[in-house]
Amino acid sequence: MSEVVIKTSSKEETRKLGLLIASNLQRGDVILLKGDLGAGKTTLVGGVAEGLNVKEDVISPTFNIMKCYFKGTIPLYHIDAYRLENQNIEIGLDEYIEGDGVCFIEWPVFIEKLIPEDNLVVTLKNIGGDNREITISSDSANFDRLISSIKEAFHD
């Protein structure tokens, strides 16, 4: 397993981390976002979207379940599975998770059977104010380069 733990102290730093993540993403990548409400998951995805040249504002997909951003370098799919707990998850999400873009999934525990084994896990923890402790990990060698680039950028 490859892992890095970093701390950000503002929304801007969390967005900058998203920019760095975006520069290492490829079509088909699946990123699982874990963290309590307000932990900064959507802020991070906003930075990723900026890095993928998405011009639209990224908003939480909580009430829509999924937001798609097609007008960037590659498509960005942002799923919030929170409202799918104990629901029928056969609603076509797998087409996006296994699609031609990158897919970020909040509350992946509620759609576990749709999650591919090859994924990156980003866990955000609010440690007070705008301070976040962010753990990025993967069992897949496909994400070693991404994790290494984050280590280099945040651990001078």
Side-chain angles (χ1 to χ4, degrees):
M1 173 187 269
S2 193
E3 177 178 286
V4 61
V5 179
I6 62 162
K7 292 185 178 168
T8 61
S9 58
S10 67
K11 287 182 178 182
E12 292 75 28
E13 285 184 8
T14 301
R15 282 183 69 85
K16 282 171 97 173
L17 174 59
L19 282 166
L20 182 58
I21 289 171
S23 69
N24 288 281
L25 292 176
Q26 302 174 41
R27 291 178 187 272
D29 284 347
V30 175
I31 298 86
L32 311 182
L33 298 172
K34 299 181 178 184
D36 292 332
L37 294 172
K41 298 180 295 289
T42 299
T43 299
L44 182 77
V45 175
V48 171
E50 185 179 338
L52 296 177
N53 297 311
V54 171
K55 303 300 182 211
E56 300 167 70
D57 287 335
V58 170
I59 58 172
S60 175
T62 300
F63 297 105
N64 303 73
I65 298 175
M66 181 173 66
K67 298 288 284 180
C68 300
Y69 303 93
F70 296 107
K71 296 181 181 175
T73 310
I74 57 176
L76 169 62
Y77 308 117
H78 185 189
I79 296 171
D80 185 333
Y82 186 76
R83 293 183 27 201
L84 296 176
E85 182 179 19
N86 301 319
Q87 301 295 318
N88 176 6
I89 60 172
E90 301 301 325
I91 57 174
L93 292 177
D94 52 327
E95 293 178 31
Y96 296 92
I97 294 169
E98 299 169 8
D100 63 344
V102 295
C103 186
F104 284 76
I105 305 171
E106 298 186 29
W107 303 99
V109 66
F110 297 132
I111 59 170
E112 281 183 327
K113 73 178 196 174
L114 298 179
I115 307 294
E117 286 185 30
D118 185 11
N119 63 65
L120 181 75
V121 178
V122 179
T123 305
L124 297 96
K125 181 178 179 185
N126 184 334
I127 54 175
D130 285 336
N131 300 302
R132 301 292 185 267
E133 180 180 88
I134 303 170
T135 304
I136 302 168
S137 62
S138 183
D139 290 329
S140 170
N142 290 337
F143 292 103
D144 286 349
R145 183 176 48 88
L146 185 150
I147 292 171
S148 292
S149 71
I150 292 169
K151 284 179 182 177
E152 289 173 21
F154 284 88
H155 294 97
D156 313 77

